[in-house]
Amino acid sequence: MSNAVAGFSKLSKEEKINWIAKEYFPNPEEAISIIKNYWNADEKLQKLHDEFIENTISNFYIPLGVAPNFLINDKYSSIPMAIEESSVVAAASKSAKFWSTRGGFKATVIDTEKIGQVHFIFKGDESKLELFFTQIKDKFFTNTESITKNMQKRGGGILDIVLKNKTNLLPNYFQLHATFDTKDSMGANFINSCLEQFAKTLKEEAQAYPLFSEEEKDIEVVMSILSNYVPNCIVRAEVSCPVEDLVEKHIPNPKAFAERFVRAVQIAEVEPFRAVTHNKGIMNGIDAVVLATGNDFRAVEAGIHAYASRNGNYTSLSHAKIENDIFSFWLEVPLALGTVGGLTSLHPLVKLCLEMLENPSAEELMQFVAVAGLAQNFAALRSLTTTGIQDGHMKMHLNNILNQFEANDEERHSIRKHFKHHVVSHSAVVDYIENLRKQI
Ligand code: MEV
């Protein structure tokens, strides 16, 4: 059983590691050695990473891969992907190559509006609150001028603020619902600073409002925070081509393939159990690019899944159809991303990934991310509706098993040769390695 610790955050990095090692590991020296193995030899770089969060003891690696040959809006790009799951980068690359000879991907930003809310409690006459709001609305803009000045120079700022009556959901509950354009930044700090100033203005103005009773003047601000649900910050990615052009080695009958593909998407549209896994495949692509470019994948995940259930049922983010012998496949997702601020200029690998994407604007990054999601979804559905997913997946997973057993080159060669023609499963590979080792 482990002990509680007082003042852990005040310990030095070395002391923190020693405490953890002694507290949790039968062999503390070994634990310390694993932790330190992942330290960067460049002390300055390590310090930079140490300071991203609190109580840092080491670095946690996730592979950074690249999926090349993405033809997007008639321009080639290589997309960086940070992900631990085998097959994902391979699948994205395959999709990219497949569509590069069929017109490529089209991506369009539909809107870029961000949202923030001040949640408050007002006990009193609702019509008086509405009148108060219209009379003081300008003050929300003027009192935030020092915060919005720079953003306005870049062409962004506060778009609008509306009062929302939510008393049908919770007694006395109202909101200031504000919309923002944050240009190339994700905008979380900007939005939250504006909201906290709105809250201050709201309380101060209510106190001084002559038409309010004492109780009405006493507005209780519960919280001021941006929303990660951004249904008006939307990007669309699509591919299409004549059905007959879908033909290739694994698609000998393109018409049957297209029809089955559309059916697979329709199943995800109507069946939530399938929709979740279908969308998970999309998120394989989306999260990997979001992470590689230093954006907040938790925010993106939360917002996208809320969007997938916006009509009351959780449904597919992507759609497909065949019309006039043309196969089309597309998705629309909400993405609040930034290419300035946050980690984008601090993390050397994030900077490098953004450079690889030719320093995109936030709108361009939205397009890359959406395309990666669609490519991933296409690859998954293509496998699922033809060979099945395990064939390719387990072949990629073979490597992980070989590493786990520390197979040498000779063993690797023999195992790869064997499993070219045999079904890969964890136990089959383990049996094979054990037999091989018995023979020596
Ligand atoms: C695995 O990470 C993702 C898939 O399950 C997605 C899907 O089923 O569409 C293959």
Short mmCIF file of all heavy atoms in Angstrom, two decimals, residues 264-305:
data_model
loop_
_atom_site.label_atom_id
_atom_site.label_comp_id
_atom_site.label_asym_id
_atom_site.label_seq_id
_atom_site.Cartn_x
_atom_site.Cartn_y
_atom_site.Cartn_z
N ALA A 264 -22.10 0.35 -45.86
CA ALA A 264 -21.35 0.37 -44.59
C ALA A 264 -21.51 1.73 -43.92
O ALA A 264 -21.65 1.82 -42.69
CB ALA A 264 -19.88 0.05 -44.83
N VAL A 265 -21.48 2.80 -44.72
CA VAL A 265 -21.64 4.15 -44.15
C VAL A 265 -23.07 4.32 -43.64
O VAL A 265 -23.29 4.87 -42.55
CB VAL A 265 -21.28 5.24 -45.19
CG1 VAL A 265 -21.54 6.63 -44.62
CG2 VAL A 265 -19.81 5.11 -45.61
N GLN A 266 -24.03 3.79 -44.41
CA GLN A 266 -25.44 3.91 -43.98
C GLN A 266 -25.66 3.21 -42.64
O GLN A 266 -26.41 3.71 -41.79
CB GLN A 266 -26.38 3.31 -45.04
CG GLN A 266 -26.53 4.20 -46.26
CD GLN A 266 -27.19 3.49 -47.43
OE1 GLN A 266 -27.28 2.25 -47.45
NE2 GLN A 266 -27.62 4.26 -48.42
N ILE A 267 -24.98 2.09 -42.44
CA ILE A 267 -25.11 1.38 -41.15
C ILE A 267 -24.61 2.29 -40.02
O ILE A 267 -25.24 2.42 -38.98
CB ILE A 267 -24.35 0.03 -41.20
CG1 ILE A 267 -25.10 -0.93 -42.13
CG2 ILE A 267 -24.19 -0.57 -39.80
CD1 ILE A 267 -24.37 -2.22 -42.44
N ALA A 268 -23.48 2.95 -40.26
CA ALA A 268 -22.94 3.86 -39.23
C ALA A 268 -23.87 5.07 -39.02
O ALA A 268 -23.87 5.67 -37.95
CB ALA A 268 -21.54 4.32 -39.61
N GLU A 269 -24.65 5.41 -40.05
CA GLU A 269 -25.57 6.54 -39.90
C GLU A 269 -26.76 6.19 -39.00
O GLU A 269 -27.30 7.05 -38.32
CB GLU A 269 -26.07 7.00 -41.28
CG GLU A 269 -25.01 7.79 -42.04
CD GLU A 269 -25.36 8.03 -43.52
OE1 GLU A 269 -26.22 7.32 -44.06
OE2 GLU A 269 -24.75 8.92 -44.12
N VAL A 270 -27.14 4.91 -39.01
CA VAL A 270 -28.36 4.55 -38.27
C VAL A 270 -28.09 3.76 -36.99
O VAL A 270 -28.99 3.61 -36.16
CB VAL A 270 -29.34 3.74 -39.16
CG1 VAL A 270 -29.79 4.56 -40.35
CG2 VAL A 270 -28.74 2.40 -39.60
N GLU A 271 -26.90 3.24 -36.83
CA GLU A 271 -26.63 2.31 -35.72
C GLU A 271 -25.50 2.86 -34.83
O GLU A 271 -24.33 2.83 -35.20
CB GLU A 271 -26.27 0.95 -36.33
CG GLU A 271 -25.55 -0.02 -35.42
CD GLU A 271 -26.31 -0.34 -34.14
OE1 GLU A 271 -27.48 -0.69 -34.22
OE2 GLU A 271 -25.70 -0.19 -33.06
N PRO A 272 -25.87 3.38 -33.64
CA PRO A 272 -24.86 4.03 -32.79
C PRO A 272 -23.67 3.14 -32.42
O PRO A 272 -22.55 3.63 -32.34
CB PRO A 272 -25.64 4.41 -31.53
CG PRO A 272 -27.06 4.41 -31.93
CD PRO A 272 -27.22 3.46 -33.06
N PHE A 273 -23.90 1.84 -32.17
CA PHE A 273 -22.76 0.98 -31.81
C PHE A 273 -21.73 0.98 -32.93
O PHE A 273 -20.52 1.01 -32.69
CB PHE A 273 -23.23 -0.47 -31.54
CG PHE A 273 -23.85 -0.63 -30.19
CD1 PHE A 273 -25.21 -0.48 -30.01
CD2 PHE A 273 -23.06 -0.91 -29.08
CE1 PHE A 273 -25.79 -0.61 -28.76
CE2 PHE A 273 -23.62 -1.04 -27.82
CZ PHE A 273 -25.00 -0.89 -27.66
N ARG A 274 -22.20 0.95 -34.16
CA ARG A 274 -21.26 0.99 -35.28
C ARG A 274 -20.71 2.41 -35.47
O ARG A 274 -19.53 2.60 -35.76
CB ARG A 274 -21.96 0.47 -36.55
CG ARG A 274 -21.14 0.62 -37.82
CD ARG A 274 -19.77 -0.07 -37.75
NE ARG A 274 -18.86 0.50 -38.75
CZ ARG A 274 -17.54 0.56 -38.62
NH1 ARG A 274 -16.92 0.06 -37.58
NH2 ARG A 274 -16.82 1.13 -39.54
N ALA A 275 -21.59 3.41 -35.27
CA ALA A 275 -21.17 4.81 -35.50
C ALA A 275 -19.98 5.17 -34.63
O ALA A 275 -19.05 5.86 -35.08
CB ALA A 275 -22.34 5.75 -35.22
N VAL A 276 -19.97 4.69 -33.39
CA VAL A 276 -18.88 5.04 -32.47
C VAL A 276 -17.55 4.50 -33.02
O VAL A 276 -16.54 5.22 -33.04
CB VAL A 276 -19.17 4.50 -31.05
CG1 VAL A 276 -17.94 4.65 -30.16
CG2 VAL A 276 -20.35 5.24 -30.44
N THR A 277 -17.55 3.26 -33.49
CA THR A 277 -16.31 2.67 -34.00
C THR A 277 -15.92 3.30 -35.33
O THR A 277 -14.73 3.55 -35.61
CB THR A 277 -16.50 1.14 -34.17
OG1 THR A 277 -17.20 0.66 -33.05
CG2 THR A 277 -15.17 0.43 -34.31
N HIS A 278 -16.91 3.55 -36.15
CA HIS A 278 -16.71 4.23 -37.44
C HIS A 278 -16.03 5.59 -37.20
O HIS A 278 -15.02 5.92 -37.81
CB HIS A 278 -18.10 4.39 -38.07
CG HIS A 278 -18.16 5.12 -39.36
ND1 HIS A 278 -18.20 4.48 -40.58
CD2 HIS A 278 -18.24 6.44 -39.63
CE1 HIS A 278 -18.29 5.38 -41.54
NE2 HIS A 278 -18.32 6.58 -41.00
N ASN A 279 -16.60 6.34 -36.24
CA ASN A 279 -16.04 7.67 -35.94
C ASN A 279 -14.68 7.55 -35.26
O ASN A 279 -13.81 8.42 -35.43
CB ASN A 279 -17.00 8.48 -35.07
CG ASN A 279 -18.24 8.90 -35.84
OD1 ASN A 279 -18.28 8.80 -37.07
ND2 ASN A 279 -19.26 9.37 -35.15
N LYS A 280 -14.49 6.48 -34.48
CA LYS A 280 -13.17 6.27 -33.86
C LYS A 280 -12.11 6.16 -34.95
O LYS A 280 -11.00 6.68 -34.81
CB LYS A 280 -13.22 5.00 -33.00
CG LYS A 280 -11.99 4.77 -32.14
CD LYS A 280 -10.88 4.03 -32.85
CE LYS A 280 -9.71 3.78 -31.92
NZ LYS A 280 -8.54 3.25 -32.63
N GLY A 281 -12.45 5.49 -36.03
CA GLY A 281 -11.51 5.37 -37.15
C GLY A 281 -11.19 6.75 -37.73
O GLY A 281 -10.04 7.05 -38.07
N ILE A 282 -12.20 7.61 -37.82
CA ILE A 282 -11.99 8.98 -38.30
C ILE A 282 -11.06 9.72 -37.33
O ILE A 282 -10.11 10.41 -37.73
CB ILE A 282 -13.34 9.72 -38.45
CG1 ILE A 282 -14.18 9.06 -39.54
CG2 ILE A 282 -13.13 11.21 -38.73
CD1 ILE A 282 -15.60 9.59 -39.67
N MET A 283 -11.31 9.52 -36.03
CA MET A 283 -10.50 10.21 -35.01
C MET A 283 -9.05 9.71 -35.02
O MET A 283 -8.15 10.45 -34.59
CB MET A 283 -11.11 10.04 -33.61
CG MET A 283 -12.50 10.62 -33.44
SD MET A 283 -12.77 12.25 -34.14
CE MET A 283 -11.76 13.27 -33.09
N ASN A 284 -8.80 8.48 -35.49
CA ASN A 284 -7.42 8.01 -35.63
C ASN A 284 -6.62 9.01 -36.47
O ASN A 284 -5.49 9.35 -36.16
CB ASN A 284 -7.37 6.66 -36.35
CG ASN A 284 -7.64 5.49 -35.42
OD1 ASN A 284 -7.59 5.63 -34.20
ND2 ASN A 284 -7.94 4.34 -35.99
N GLY A 285 -7.23 9.47 -37.54
CA GLY A 285 -6.55 10.42 -38.41
C GLY A 285 -6.55 11.81 -37.81
O GLY A 285 -5.52 12.50 -37.78
N ILE A 286 -7.71 12.22 -37.30
CA ILE A 286 -7.85 13.59 -36.79
C ILE A 286 -6.93 13.83 -35.60
O ILE A 286 -6.13 14.78 -35.58
CB ILE A 286 -9.33 13.88 -36.44
CG1 ILE A 286 -10.13 13.97 -37.75
CG2 ILE A 286 -9.49 15.12 -35.57
CD1 ILE A 286 -11.58 14.34 -37.60
N ASP A 287 -7.00 12.96 -34.59
CA ASP A 287 -6.20 13.16 -33.38
C ASP A 287 -4.71 13.18 -33.69
O ASP A 287 -3.95 13.94 -33.08
CB ASP A 287 -6.46 12.03 -32.36
CG ASP A 287 -7.75 12.25 -31.59
OD1 ASP A 287 -8.26 13.37 -31.59
OD2 ASP A 287 -8.24 11.28 -30.99
N ALA A 288 -4.29 12.29 -34.60
CA ALA A 288 -2.85 12.17 -34.88
C ALA A 288 -2.30 13.49 -35.44
O ALA A 288 -1.19 13.90 -35.08
CB ALA A 288 -2.61 11.03 -35.85
N VAL A 289 -3.06 14.16 -36.28
CA VAL A 289 -2.57 15.43 -36.85
C VAL A 289 -2.74 16.57 -35.83
O VAL A 289 -1.88 17.44 -35.71
CB VAL A 289 -3.31 15.77 -38.17
CG1 VAL A 289 -2.64 16.95 -38.86
CG2 VAL A 289 -3.34 14.57 -39.10
N VAL A 290 -3.83 16.50 -35.08
CA VAL A 290 -4.07 17.52 -34.04
C VAL A 290 -2.92 17.49 -33.03
O VAL A 290 -2.38 18.53 -32.64
CB VAL A 290 -5.44 17.28 -33.36
CG1 VAL A 290 -5.60 18.14 -32.12
CG2 VAL A 290 -6.57 17.58 -34.33
N LEU A 291 -2.52 16.28 -32.63
CA LEU A 291 -1.44 16.13 -31.65
C LEU A 291 -0.10 16.58 -32.25
O LEU A 291 0.65 17.32 -31.61
CB LEU A 291 -1.37 14.65 -31.24
CG LEU A 291 -0.60 14.29 -29.99
CD1 LEU A 291 -1.11 15.07 -28.79
CD2 LEU A 291 -0.73 12.78 -29.70
N ALA A 292 0.18 16.16 -33.46
CA ALA A 292 1.46 16.51 -34.10
C ALA A 292 1.60 18.01 -34.28
O ALA A 292 2.71 18.54 -34.31
CB ALA A 292 1.59 15.79 -35.44
N THR A 293 0.48 18.70 -34.40
CA THR A 293 0.55 20.15 -34.62
C THR A 293 0.28 20.95 -33.33
O THR A 293 -0.03 22.13 -33.37
CB THR A 293 -0.44 20.59 -35.73
OG1 THR A 293 -1.75 20.15 -35.37
CG2 THR A 293 -0.05 20.02 -37.08
N GLY A 294 0.39 20.26 -32.19
CA GLY A 294 0.34 20.93 -30.89
C GLY A 294 -1.02 21.46 -30.51
O GLY A 294 -1.12 22.36 -29.68
N ASN A 295 -2.07 20.87 -31.05
CA ASN A 295 -3.41 21.33 -30.70
C ASN A 295 -4.02 20.42 -29.63
O ASN A 295 -3.49 19.36 -29.30
CB ASN A 295 -4.28 21.43 -31.95
CG ASN A 295 -4.08 22.75 -32.65
OD1 ASN A 295 -4.70 23.74 -32.31
ND2 ASN A 295 -3.16 22.78 -33.62
N ASP A 296 -5.17 20.86 -29.12
CA ASP A 296 -5.79 20.21 -27.97
C ASP A 296 -6.75 19.12 -28.45
O ASP A 296 -7.89 19.39 -28.83
CB ASP A 296 -6.53 21.31 -27.17
CG ASP A 296 -7.20 20.78 -25.93
OD1 ASP A 296 -7.38 19.56 -25.80
OD2 ASP A 296 -7.57 21.61 -25.07
N PHE A 297 -6.24 17.86 -28.42
CA PHE A 297 -7.07 16.78 -28.98
C PHE A 297 -8.27 16.46 -28.08
O PHE A 297 -9.28 15.95 -28.54
CB PHE A 297 -6.24 15.51 -29.27
CG PHE A 297 -5.57 14.91 -28.07
CD1 PHE A 297 -6.21 13.95 -27.30
CD2 PHE A 297 -4.29 15.30 -27.71
CE1 PHE A 297 -5.59 13.40 -26.19
CE2 PHE A 297 -3.67 14.76 -26.60
CZ PHE A 297 -4.31 13.81 -25.84
N ARG A 298 -8.19 16.77 -26.78
CA ARG A 298 -9.35 16.51 -25.91
C ARG A 298 -10.49 17.44 -26.29
O ARG A 298 -11.66 17.03 -26.35
CB ARG A 298 -9.01 16.71 -24.43
CG ARG A 298 -8.12 15.66 -23.80
CD ARG A 298 -6.67 15.91 -24.02
NE ARG A 298 -6.23 17.21 -23.52
CZ ARG A 298 -5.21 17.91 -24.02
NH1 ARG A 298 -4.53 17.44 -25.04
NH2 ARG A 298 -4.88 19.09 -23.55
N ALA A 299 -10.16 18.68 -26.57
CA ALA A 299 -11.19 19.65 -26.97
C ALA A 299 -11.82 19.21 -28.29
O ALA A 299 -13.04 19.24 -28.47
CB ALA A 299 -10.56 21.03 -27.13
N VAL A 300 -10.95 18.78 -29.21
CA VAL A 300 -11.44 18.36 -30.53
C VAL A 300 -12.33 17.14 -30.40
O VAL A 300 -13.43 17.07 -30.98
CB VAL A 300 -10.22 18.09 -31.46
CG1 VAL A 300 -10.64 17.32 -32.69
CG2 VAL A 300 -9.55 19.40 -31.85
N GLU A 301 -11.90 16.16 -29.60
CA GLU A 301 -12.69 14.93 -29.39
C GLU A 301 -14.07 15.29 -28.82
O GLU A 301 -15.10 14.85 -29.33
CB GLU A 301 -11.98 14.01 -28.40
CG GLU A 301 -10.82 13.23 -28.96
CD GLU A 301 -11.26 11.95 -29.66
OE1 GLU A 301 -12.43 11.56 -29.54
OE2 GLU A 301 -10.42 11.34 -30.34
N ALA A 302 -14.06 16.09 -27.72
CA ALA A 302 -15.33 16.42 -27.05
C ALA A 302 -16.28 17.11 -28.03
O ALA A 302 -17.46 16.76 -28.12
CB ALA A 302 -15.05 17.30 -25.84
N GLY A 303 -15.74 18.07 -28.78
CA GLY A 303 -16.58 18.84 -29.71
C GLY A 303 -17.12 17.99 -30.85
O GLY A 303 -18.29 18.12 -31.25
N ILE A 304 -16.27 17.12 -31.36
CA ILE A 304 -16.70 16.32 -32.52
C ILE A 304 -17.78 15.31 -32.12
O ILE A 304 -18.76 15.11 -32.84
CB ILE A 304 -15.48 15.63 -33.18
CG1 ILE A 304 -14.64 16.68 -33.91
CG2 ILE A 304 -15.93 14.51 -34.12
CD1 ILE A 304 -13.50 16.15 -34.74
N HIS A 305 -17.61 14.68 -30.96
CA HIS A 305 -18.62 13.68 -30.57
C HIS A 305 -19.96 14.35 -30.23
O HIS A 305 -21.02 13.78 -30.48
CB HIS A 305 -18.11 12.79 -29.45
CG HIS A 305 -16.95 11.94 -29.92
ND1 HIS A 305 -17.08 11.02 -30.94
CD2 HIS A 305 -15.66 11.91 -29.57
CE1 HIS A 305 -15.90 10.46 -31.17
NE2 HIS A 305 -15.02 10.99 -30.36
#
